[in-house]
Amino acid sequence: MDSQRATWVYAVVPASADRVPGGPAGVADGAVRLVARQELAAVVSSVDRAEVAGALGQEPPDPAWLERAARHHHEVISAFFPGLPTVPFRLGTIYHDDDRVREMLAERAGEFRAALDAVTGRVEWGVRAFPEAPPPEPAGASAGSLAGSLAGAALPGTDYLLRRKAEQSAREQARRAAAAAAQDLDQRLRLLSVAARGHPAHDGETLNMSYLVDNARADEFVRTLRSLDGPSPPLRLHLTGPWPAYSFVGLGELAR
Amino acid sequence: MTDQVSPAAQAPSPGFLSRPEPASLADVLERVLDKGVVIAGDIRVNLVDVELLTIRIRLLVASVDRAREMGIDWWQHDPMLASRARRSGVADG
């Protein structure tokens, strides 16, 4: 094996996959292929060691390279999905050569079989919820009435402070309503799921979750989500998926 | 792969699961950087240092937040977040 090359691993699938569907491009335009050992196959492509080390293995990493690699990594993993159970690998898992990948498959065959079983017939759905912004108040509406209750004694500065206070209280109320609604939503979705995992919340999200759902319950899951999105919800909901079960194949799951 | 849930949204069609749609970069990064199988227990230092590169990448490109610090512009590629930013908090229809 060329010492300048290395083997990038995307996923493990059953060896019944005898080809890569759709011919997706690999990371750094590598040709995607399968490395099989007994009933397991690793989805891999060859990469240039120096290129990967230079782009991602040094401070600072190359953001453009990472972004392209992330998209290719995901596209290759998605090529097998949802036709075959797929155990995705984290981005940047690299082996010396194909023989090392075969060794890895052999060493962890039991764990991979269990992981494939755990995701067979199931997909991951992503649900994010954002607090719905309270409707903008007409100028001086509620705060104005508060100020008015002070028998016209309010100075312009006091009026401003009262209005600010009313706005803050409305925001806090909306935040609390959103948090309660998110908790309720999460509980209902967990009832329809095999497992649930949280992601860090970004940009004011109230909820950022992944749910592992049996294909047979997918329609029910999506219907439930939509039914909770009423005419004036405290939450704005955002559904992504179906995804390969990225969030449910961590080491804990592999050991299960 | 983004699907804004709204009252007007239609029920999933029979083919709903058949084909994943393109995902937003934020959603993809969240999964390929923060999730997926991590195999670190079998690093063999006596082999050529390729597997150590895996560890180094993990340290340097560890999470979606880290990617964001690196300047990956996920807003630009995320229709949902971008439209939110444009509307700047105006309630959704």
Side-chain angles (χ1 to χ4, degrees):
Chain A
M1 176 61 73
D2 186 345
S3 66
Q4 300 309 303
R5 308 291 283 171
T7 304
W8 179 292
V9 181
Y10 300 86
V12 166
V13 296
S16 57
D18 53 355
R19 61 185 184 88
V20 182
V27 168
D29 296 324
V32 181
R33 55 203 165 75
L34 295 164
V35 173
R37 191 193 169 278
Q38 297 184 354
E39 78 276 41
L40 298 171
V43 185
V44 306
S45 67
S46 294
V47 289
D48 186 276
R49 270 176 60 185
E51 181 183 351
V52 176
L56 300 186
Q58 279 171 23
E59 187 79 61
D62 179 343
W65 206 97
L66 173 63
E67 181 176 333
R68 281 196 305 277
R71 290 187 184 283
H72 286 304
H73 190 74
H74 173 62
E75 276 163 26
V76 171
I77 290 168
S78 300
F80 293 86
F81 174 84
L84 274 183
T86 305
V87 174
F89 272 48
R90 196 166 296 190
L91 180 137
T93 305
I94 296 157
Y95 283 87
H96 181 237
D97 56 23
D98 290 4
D99 286 342
R100 279 292 298 132
V101 173
R102 279 188 203 93
E103 281 177 42
M104 179 269 291
L105 290 176
E107 285 162 11
R108 294 174 173 267
E111 293 171 87
F112 284 125
R113 273 196 302 270
L116 285 168
D117 283 349
V119 302
T120 298
R122 295 166 173 168
V123 296
E124 173 176 336
W125 292 94
V127 177
R128 292 169 172 178
F130 302 85
E132 186 65 278
E137 297 194 8
S142 64
S145 66
L146 267 176
S149 72
L150 295 179
L155 299 167
T158 316
D159 187 34
Y160 170 77
L161 287 176
L162 284 170
R163 196 163 61 233
R164 279 289 303 275
K165 201 170 171 184
E167 282 168 5
Q168 275 168 7
S169 138
R171 269 200 301 275
E172 175 58 22
Q173 222 167 16
R175 196 195 60 77
R176 272 204 298 269
Q183 201 176 5
D184 179 55
L185 170 71
D186 180 49
Q187 276 169 8
R188 294 177 72 165
L189 295 180
R190 278 171 192 258
L191 290 177
L192 300 171
S193 311
V194 177
R197 291 282 180 281
H199 304 286
H202 306 281
D203 304 314
E205 285 167 346
T206 308
L207 185 83
N208 187 6
M209 292 289 298
S210 280
Y211 300 91
L212 185 66
V213 180
D214 280 326
N215 287 344
R217 300 196 87 167
D219 279 3
E220 193 183 349
F221 184 88
V222 175
R223 261 203 318 275
T224 299
L225 201 56
R226 294 200 160 124
S227 75
L228 295 172
D229 200 41
S232 58
L235 293 174
R236 219 151 27 82
L237 303 179
H238 182 68
L239 172 68
T240 64
W243 294 88
Y246 281 102
S247 304
F248 301 94
V249 293
L251 283 180
E253 279 70 34
L254 270 184
R256 193 163 60 187
Chain B
M1 195 177 291
T2 57
D3 177 11
Q4 187 98 34
V5 179
S6 75
Q10 293 171 349
S13 65
F16 198 64
L17 283 171
S18 61
R19 189 75 210 151
E21 293 164 33
S24 77
L25 182 62
D27 289 315
V28 169
L29 286 175
E30 204 152 72
R31 284 167 177 82
V32 303
L33 297 181
D34 292 353
K35 308 290 176 187
V37 167
V38 177
I39 295 185
D42 61 349
I43 300 301
R44 296 177 181 181
V45 183
N46 61 336
L47 272 177
V48 191
D49 60 351
V50 173
E51 279 104 350
L52 289 175
L53 179 57
T54 296
I55 299 293
R56 181 136 180 84
I57 291 171
R58 295 281 149 69
L59 292 174
L60 292 172
V61 190
S63 69
V64 67
D65 286 332
R66 174 78 181 111
R68 200 179 205 187
E69 284 167 23
M70 287 164 58
I72 290 187
D73 182 6
W74 73 12
W75 299 83
Q76 190 186 329
H77 302 280
D78 190 326
M80 200 270 304
L81 290 176
S83 63
R84 269 178 73 227
R86 269 201 305 280
R87 286 198 302 268
S88 62
V90 174
D92 204 4

